[in-house]
Amino acid sequence: MAKHELAKRASKWMEGTGPQSDIVLTSRIRLARNLKSIPFPHLLNDEGQKEVIDKVVQAVNTTTVTGTFGKMDMLLLEYLSPLEKQILVEKHLISPAFAEKKKGGVALNADETVSIMVNEEDHLRVQLLMPAFQLEETWKAADILDDALEQTVDYAFHEERGYLTACPTNLGTGLRASVMVHLPALVLTKQAKKILGSLPQLGLAVRGFYGEGSEAQGNLYQISNQITLGLTEEEIINNITLVVQQLIDQERSARNRLKEELYHQIDDKVNRAYGILANARIISSEEALKLLSDLRLGIDLGMIKDVDPQILNEMISFIQPGLLQGSQGKTMNAGERDLTRAKVIRTKLAQQRR
């Protein structure tokens, strides 16, 4: 994959199709792995980091990997511009912390369902990212990839502690499973704070759009496990699946309540959002996300017709500063981005009305 394609192509998760896709945008599995007898990344010199990258390149190019997941391209951070790194963050292919590093690499397959960060906090951060509520299927794919990689590289593993990781919180399975959910009705009915606030008691973390350290925008939340040690991978997946299914049921109930009890107020709210998005000449990413969330709610409640419900999935990333500049092929200041963002959204909605 050429670097210039990063901003041009949509990731598979942006398709927005699959089980419960009106509420769950993505399912993600991330595995923390380290190579046996090699120090953790923060202890490696340049030569040691290159050795790890070379081993991973060899592993991802085996037919065992490519036969299932396709060709993998390794992008080295030292050859990426700050804008290109930002685009990778906005597409959820690397972490914001990794984007700050000067050394390391990320291996990507063609549809960007697979991304492997190399020399982030651990030697490998293997990620599978799929659309909608497909956590079990995503885990199965990640497990297959993990086994395929292990045929070439030796992982650091302890019989009692499990996979050895740079941070003790990832010991054991090294597994972080997460789903991104859209919960506008729970927010509007003022139930979200209480419900989401109870999840840490169940061993789950609630984070914003870009994961750890980020704020929730556009009524989008990431729900993930906090515990990796003492549970099997299947138990972790089952726990999250049960809790997220309850969240889905509560969001659906709240949506039905809004439609039955506050129909005219919600109808006005979502059509105002549509009107602003379809006509605004200047718009910030924060305002756009809020209005796109309202628009998607209106589509899901049947109040807005002739607009593809997947518009939220695609636009939440492509209106972000990095992707916006990358897709236009030029750098822009904040004012220019706000002008361009509004034009991109207007054009997208106009195309859907034809």
Side-chain angles (χ1 to χ4, degrees):
M1 179 191 304
K3 291 190 296 180
H4 69 271
E5 295 180 351
L6 286 173
K8 303 293 185 181
R9 59 194 304 159
S11 302
K12 185 175 177 61
W13 70 264
M14 297 177 189
E15 293 177 0
T17 56
Q20 318 279 19
S21 59
D22 57 329
I23 294 175
V24 180
L25 272 67
T26 63
S27 298
R28 181 184 72 123
I29 296 292
R30 192 214 68 195
L31 300 172
R33 299 289 186 259
N34 286 283
L35 305 186
K36 186 177 180 180
S37 302
I38 297 179
F40 292 131
H42 67 277
L43 298 173
L44 288 176
N45 57 23
D46 289 352
E47 184 179 344
Q49 292 204 29
K50 183 179 184 302
E51 179 187 0
V52 173
I53 290 174
D54 289 344
K55 287 180 179 294
V56 175
V57 168
Q58 181 183 1
V60 299
N61 283 320
T62 61
T63 55
T64 310
V65 172
T66 59
T68 303
F69 300 96
K71 183 179 181 293
M72 305 278 285
D73 291 319
M74 178 68 75
L75 303 181
L76 299 179
L77 295 187
E78 59 191 299
Y79 299 122
L80 296 178
S81 68
L83 177 59
E84 288 165 337
K85 293 178 184 179
Q86 186 175 358
I87 289 171
L88 289 168
V89 171
E90 291 172 358
K91 297 181 86 171
H92 299 274
L93 300 174
I94 67 172
S95 65
F98 194 49
E100 298 296 323
K101 301 188 79 169
K102 295 181 179 179
K103 296 288 185 178
V106 57
L108 303 173
N109 68 344
D111 63 6
E112 298 174 353
T113 53
V114 175
S115 65
I116 304 173
M117 288 184 287
V118 186
N119 290 329
E120 197 229 32
E121 186 177 59
D122 295 292
H123 293 145
L124 287 82
R125 287 288 175 90
V126 181
Q127 175 180 283
L128 270 289
L129 184 62
M130 298 290 288
F133 195 23
Q134 303 186 78
L135 200 57
E136 185 174 348
E137 293 82 354
T138 308
W139 156 242
K140 289 179 180 177
D143 192 31
I144 291 171
L145 176 57
D146 191 38
D147 288 344
L149 293 172
E150 198 170 12
Q151 291 184 25
T152 304
V153 297
D154 291 328
Y155 289 147
F157 184 84
H158 189 277
E159 287 299 328
E160 294 181 359
R161 299 184 181 89
Y163 291 101
L164 302 181
T165 55
C167 180
T169 58
N170 290 319
L171 278 172
T173 60
L175 167 66
R176 296 286 178 184
S178 67
V179 295
M180 187 188 299
V181 290
H182 182 224
L183 305 176
L186 287 178
V187 172
L188 285 171
T189 56
K190 302 188 184 306
Q191 299 178 75
K193 186 175 181 180
K194 180 180 179 181
I195 292 171
L196 296 176
S198 68
L199 296 189
Q201 300 173 31
L202 302 175
L204 301 179
V206 181
R207 298 186 171 98
F209 187 50
Y210 290 114
E212 189 171 1
S214 64
E215 296 181 358
Q217 297 180 355
N219 301 313
L220 295 168
Y221 301 87
Q222 286 196 47
I223 314 298
S224 63
N225 62 300
Q226 289 182 313
I227 300 171
T228 61
L229 183 64
L231 296 172
T232 66
E233 291 89 349
E234 289 74 17
E235 287 171 333
I236 291 171
I237 300 300
N238 288 338
N239 287 345
I240 296 181
T241 298
L242 289 172
V243 171
V244 171
Q245 185 57 59
Q246 289 183 343
L247 271 178
I248 292 170
D249 295 341
Q250 289 168 317
E251 172 67 17
R252 290 202 194 286
S253 176
R255 291 184 184 190
N256 290 334
R257 178 184 165 193
L258 288 174
K259 192 171 184 179
E260 292 173 4
E261 300 177 9
L262 297 168
Y263 182 90
H264 295 296
Q265 292 91 327
I266 300 303
D267 189 35
D268 178 70
K269 181 180 182 67
V270 301
N271 277 284
R272 281 176 183 269
Y274 180 69
I276 294 171
L277 290 169
N279 294 282
R281 264 47 184 176
I282 299 174
I283 194 166
S284 67
S285 56
E286 184 177 357
E287 182 185 10
L289 276 174
K290 180 181 180 299
L291 294 173
L292 284 168
S293 171
D294 291 343
L295 175 61
R296 177 62 192 262
L297 176 62
I299 296 169
D300 291 337
L301 292 178
M303 297 174 174
I304 303 282
K305 309 290 186 182
D306 303 322
V307 179
D308 189 339
Q310 276 68 55
I311 187 171
L312 176 65
N313 303 59
E314 183 176 339
M315 296 305 290
I316 56 175
S317 285
F318 277 94
I319 62 170
Q320 297 300 319
L323 275 162
L324 192 66
Q325 294 174 87
S327 63
Q328 300 300 309
K330 61 181 180 179
T331 57
M332 295 179 270
N333 61 36
E336 291 170 332
R337 292 197 300 269
D338 289 350
L339 282 166
T340 304
R341 182 179 296 108
K343 182 179 179 181
V344 167
I345 294 173
R346 289 199 314 272
T347 301
K348 183 74 172 179
L349 289 174
Q351 290 172 343
Q352 303 223 341
R353 288 199 298 267
R354 292 172 185 168

